[in-house]
Amino acid sequence: MTTELATLPNLMPALPEILLAIGAMGLLMLGAFGGSKTSQAVNGFAVALLIIAGAIILLGTSSTVTTFNDAFIQDPFARLMKVLVIIGSGFSLAMSVGYAQVEKFDRFEYPVLVLLATIGMMLMLSANDLIAVYLGLELQSLTLYVLSSFKRDSVKATEAGLKYFVLGALSSGMLLYGMSLVYGFTGQTSFVGIADTVHMEGVGIGITFGLVFILAGLTFKISAVPFHMWTPDVYEGAPTPVTAFLAAAPKVAAMGLIVRAVMTAFDPMDLQWQQVITFVSILSMVLGAFAAIGQRNIKRLMAYSSISHMGYALVGLAAGNSAGVVGVIIYLITYLAMTLGTFAAIMSMRRRDGAVERIDDLAGLSRSDLPMAVLLGILMFSLAGVPWMGGFIGKWFVFSAAIEAGLYPLAIIGVLASVVGAYYYLRIVKIMFFDEPAPAFERPSSELRFVLVVSGLFMATMVFYVGPIRAVAEAAANSFF
Amino acid sequence: MILQSVFFYLFSAVLLISALMVIGARNPVHSVLFLILAFFNAAALFVLLGAEFLAMLLVVVYVGAVAVLFLFIVMMLDVDFVEMRAGFLQYMPIGLVVGVVLLAELLVAFGGWAVSPDLAANLGEPMPDIAQVSNIEAIGSLLYTKYIFYFQTAALILFVAMVGAIVLTLHHRTDVKRQKIERQVARTVENSIEIVEVETGSGI
């Protein structure tokens, strides 16, 4: 047998990921040899690396390229979602600076792990093959398990990490089982190959089994009902900067992965996955709306809020048309901005004797810190979907896509659930503006205030630039149609 | 051919019995030892299939690392396995019902269809002829060329595992005196011993 040298694959499409991987290893070296005093510098370099990676993505070509034998795809959809993920990671890192100093959290491994999680998410968004999906997902999940229990001396954080790990391992098992079934019945792992085989041979029970298991594994990652059980405990137990990170970027990445998987690999099976997505979407919206009512801890409240928001985003996917994917993308943009802003506000909830996280601690905030109360109020109106805030615009696009596809019951249930959900968001506004004042918070650090101002203003004024955002989202959605 | 069948049934039978004993043995150390026996028999089945590289991997990774790790955990953690099993009989009926229902569902679902005859022709990466290519060569020629991306990503995952393990478990203790070999080696007689003339009765 002759030995021939393999040709080097085209690395350029994966340049941002490669840059981040090398950067993460370099920063780990810097931290390990420089000692704990370098953690601020490592954090700064990590944010700079993310900005460079985002710039590479934005300045590169806008065409669709694949590499590594079609396992890795870089198309307009992947680019847009990767930029969103990078924004989520970068802002979470920036927000953690002040918190890290006060809470003895400033260890150089934190930014390095966030970078590695970001690589995992970017690989998920570019995955065009079942093996690539699994590896990207595991890279991201494993990092998130570690980050959840990063405050290892806190019992709650350890519990959060352990719960997340055990349930995450279960969901990975389901995902792998589904993948093995799909591989067994098609003989293919690439998305294109699966779609072609299903197209030729028709939809059998075996591959439907596989599809359902894969969707179960993936919906766990976006904490959609019935795979949401871990969310409130992990959100509450994890250190707040980690919760902000968990709630923002990984949700965008996992949702992008689900969209690509059902739109390319399982495109010929739309009747099958639409049922599953519709079911999951209804359950998430309803459970998220009702279960949040009784919450007293604002981090738990945000957990249920994110469950219901993922339900709304899935409404657009259930529609299965181009308008639906546009809706999902716009919804994710608004969700990312609202989540980052709200967590900037939650991290600002700090008194002299430490951080507080009860909703009642916000009482009378308008008298002690009017700008924060107004901005958080805007974000709450936006999360509730009050017109014409950003959150309303996201809901508008997903529901109109569902109606266009004839899914009237889904749209009606969604609107009713958002009315129920409005109760607890507006209750926070009422507590901030009309209740007896609780002791004032300490002055928040400038980076938290900056994130809060940016996201509050973005949500308040989004209605003026819906046009350009929609154009970008449509260009991204055209990757599939 | 007959010899092969005899060995197949021998290895399979021992595998199944030892797997049962893993959950049946009263002593957890015996459970781990049965687990090792099960791994060895599974490896032997791989050899019968002609996949000798996988067989060796199974022995090296599972027997050499995983099972020994289990043995360590069982011996070092103070877990009362008798107490953990206290409710076993109580929950067994419902567990059996769930298991039987699941088995019946799987049988119904999986028994109801036939695999497409074209499947073998449709494989993304068909198996090369074992007589022509050795196991390691077949795996290596895929792993380091077509699957290099997966290989590198898996390496990144292991990197995260290492960083995570250190982050979560390494405590820098200040109250422990550590051996510093370079300082020990660098010591000489001159800077270690001081000869002092002591006058009788005055002390130092």
Side-chain angles (χ1 to χ4, degrees):
Chain A
M1 188 175 170
T2 57
T3 47
E4 50 197 279
L5 286 176
T7 49
L8 191 69
N10 180 13
L11 297 177
M12 287 314 283
L15 187 62
E17 285 85 352
I18 295 171
L19 174 84
L20 286 181
I22 295 172
M25 292 173 205
L27 289 180
L28 193 69
M29 285 292 150
L30 178 67
F33 288 108
S36 57
K37 56 189 178 298
T38 53
S39 63
Q40 289 259 15
V42 172
N43 203 327
F45 282 127
V47 174
L49 273 174
L50 286 171
I51 293 172
I52 296 172
I56 293 175
I57 294 172
L58 287 176
L59 298 176
T61 59
S62 56
S63 56
T64 300
V65 269
T66 60
T67 183
F68 301 121
N69 293 296
D70 279 357
F72 186 96
I73 184 168
Q74 185 83 309
D75 57 4
F77 179 76
R79 280 194 192 87
L80 176 62
M81 297 306 251
K82 280 181 185 179
V83 170
L84 291 183
V85 161
I86 287 175
I87 290 174
S89 304
F91 274 98
S92 320
L93 271 184
M95 289 198 298
S96 74
V97 174
Y99 181 93
Q101 281 167 337
V102 191
E103 294 277 319
K104 302 214 180 348
F105 189 74
D106 49 345
R107 297 170 59 197
F108 65 87
E109 290 97 340
Y110 177 67
V112 172
L113 285 172
V114 170
L115 280 187
L116 288 166
T118 311
I119 300 168
M121 291 185 257
M122 291 164 74
L123 293 181
M124 282 158 70
L125 289 169
S126 275
N128 202 25
D129 187 296
L130 291 180
I131 307 175
V133 168
Y134 180 69
L135 289 173
L137 202 67
E138 273 317 284
L139 180 57
Q140 175 241 29
S141 308
L142 202 62
T143 323
L144 295 185
Y145 305 147
V146 176
L147 285 175
S148 305
S149 47
F150 200 75
K151 234 179 179 176
R152 57 188 183 188
D153 300 324
S154 145
V155 178
K156 267 192 167 176
T158 320
E159 183 201 327
L162 191 65
K163 259 187 192 163
Y164 196 12
F165 175 68
V166 171
L167 291 175
L170 184 71
S171 84
S172 289
M174 289 198 283
L175 184 72
L176 274 181
Y177 185 52
M179 286 178 174
S180 67
L181 282 175
V182 168
Y183 174 65
F185 282 94
T186 59
Q188 299 281 335
T189 56
S190 81
F191 282 3
V192 181
I194 293 169
D196 287 347
T197 311
V198 176
H199 206 73
M200 279 188 314
E201 306 213 339
V203 179
I205 307 180
I207 190 152
T208 312
F209 245 70
L211 170 70
V212 173
F213 273 104
I214 288 179
L215 285 178
L218 292 181
T219 45
F220 175 90
K221 302 292 172 193
I222 57 166
S223 66
V225 183
F227 307 104
H228 65 287
M229 281 77 129
W230 57 277
T231 323
D233 293 335
V234 172
Y235 274 37
E236 189 191 357
T240 314
V242 176
T243 313
F245 178 59
L246 277 181
K251 295 285 163 68
V252 175
M255 189 61 97
L257 173 58
I258 294 178
V259 171
R260 183 185 300 285
V262 299
M263 285 293 165
T264 56
F266 300 107
D267 188 39
M269 305 176 64
D270 49 356
L271 284 179
Q272 280 77 16
W273 61 254
Q274 263 176 336
Q275 287 177 9
V276 179
I277 297 286
T278 308
F279 176 72
V280 169
S281 161
I282 290 176
L283 284 182
S284 306
M285 291 188 295
V286 172
L287 185 126
F290 281 98
I293 292 175
Q295 301 303 323
R296 294 285 166 269
N297 180 306
I298 193 153
K299 279 159 84 180
R300 287 187 84 86
L301 181 94
M302 286 307 290
Y304 285 105
S305 160
S306 84
I307 292 172
S308 64
H309 281 293
M310 286 300 118
Y312 296 122
L314 286 176
V315 170
L317 185 58
N321 48 22
S322 169
V325 177
V326 172
V328 174
I329 295 170
I330 294 178
Y331 203 94
L332 287 177
I333 294 174
T334 60
Y335 171 78
L336 187 71
M338 294 187 294
T339 307
L340 288 173
T342 312
F343 273 99
I346 293 175
M347 285 163 73
S348 311
M349 292 169 61
R350 159 178 304 284
R351 300 222 170 86
R352 192 174 298 277
D353 47 342
V356 289
E357 44 194 55
R358 281 186 313 129
I359 294 173
D360 293 335
D361 290 314
L362 286 165
L365 186 66
S366 62
R367 263 153 287 179
S368 58
D369 189 349
L370 185 63
M372 178 172 159
V374 169
L375 289 167
L376 188 55
I378 290 174
L379 289 175
M380 286 300 139
F381 279 125
S382 180
L383 283 165
V386 173
W388 300 93
M389 299 288 174
F392 171 77
I393 296 165
K395 285 197 172 68
W396 170 270
F397 278 104
V398 289
F399 287 139
S400 58
I403 286 171
E404 192 186 305
L407 297 169
Y408 298 106
L410 183 62
I412 292 170
I413 294 173
V415 172
L416 291 180
S418 75
V419 172
V420 176
Y423 163 74
Y424 57 83
Y425 295 122
L426 298 184
R427 194 172 134 252
I428 295 181
V429 177
K430 174 238 163 200
I431 288 175
M432 285 194 299
F433 282 88
F434 302 113
D435 277 12
E436 279 304 305
F441 297 132
E442 295 205 311
R443 261 191 72 79
S445 53
S446 50
E447 69 272 1
L448 289 179
R449 185 49 62 92
F450 171 75
V451 174
L452 185 58
V453 169
V454 168
S455 88
L457 289 184
F458 179 53
M459 284 299 103
T461 59
M462 188 176 163
V463 68
F464 299 115
Y465 27 83
V466 175
I469 291 177
R470 187 179 176 178
V472 171
E474 271 170 355
N478 277 338
S479 311
F480 302 121
F481 295 98
Chain B
M1 214 57 216
I2 284 187
L3 200 63
Q4 209 173 11
S5 321
V6 168
F7 275 109
F8 172 76
Y9 284 111
L10 174 73
F11 293 138
S12 312
V14 178
L15 172 65
L16 288 178
I17 292 167
S18 51
L20 264 180
M21 290 304 287
V22 171
I23 50 171
R26 204 163 271 282
N27 186 334
V29 178
H30 293 174
S31 291
V32 178
L33 293 177
F34 276 115
L35 190 66
I36 293 175
L37 186 61
F39 284 146
F40 266 114
N41 282 282
L45 286 179
F46 271 126
V47 173
L48 283 187
L49 281 173
E52 70 270 3
F53 182 63
L54 277 183
M56 291 309 123
L57 270 189
L58 196 69
V59 171
V60 171
V61 176
Y62 281 89
V63 179
V66 177
V68 172
L69 187 74
F70 279 175
L71 210 54
F72 265 113
I73 293 171
V74 166
M75 287 176 160
M76 294 182 60
L77 289 187
D78 185 24
V79 184
D80 192 347
F81 286 93
V82 179
E83 194 184 318
M84 263 171 68
R85 242 179 256 171
F88 183 68
L89 277 180
Q90 192 186 338
Y91 294 119
M92 201 169 69
I94 189 144
L96 275 181
V97 169
V98 171
V100 167
V101 169
L102 205 62
L103 184 70
E105 281 178 353
L106 287 177
L107 283 181
V108 169
F110 281 77
W113 77 72
V115 176
S116 157
D118 316 333
L119 185 68
N122 197 35
L123 281 181
E125 202 53 64
M127 196 171 76
D129 185 8
I130 301 184
Q132 301 291 320
V133 191
S134 77
N135 270 218
I136 302 176
E137 202 177 334
I139 291 177
S141 65
L142 262 187
L143 192 61
Y144 300 112
T145 56
K146 191 178 173 189
Y147 289 169
I148 185 71
F149 170 54
Y150 307 140
F151 186 69
Q152 292 294 337
T153 314
L156 218 50
I157 294 174
L158 289 178
F159 179 62
V160 169
M162 189 183 73
V163 175
I166 294 174
V167 165
L168 293 181
T169 56
L170 182 67
H171 286 265
H172 283 291
R173 291 179 58 180
T174 47
D175 57 333
V176 183
K177 294 215 187 300
R178 291 177 196 283
Q179 185 181 27
K180 289 182 178 134
I181 294 173
E182 69 278 9
R183 281 188 60 190
Q184 289 180 335
V185 173
R187 267 171 86 118
T188 56
V189 177
E190 286 75 42
N191 58 24
S192 313
I193 300 175
E194 195 181 348
I195 297 173
V196 188
E197 294 275 342
V198 185
E199 272 181 52
T200 316
S202 66
I204 301 174

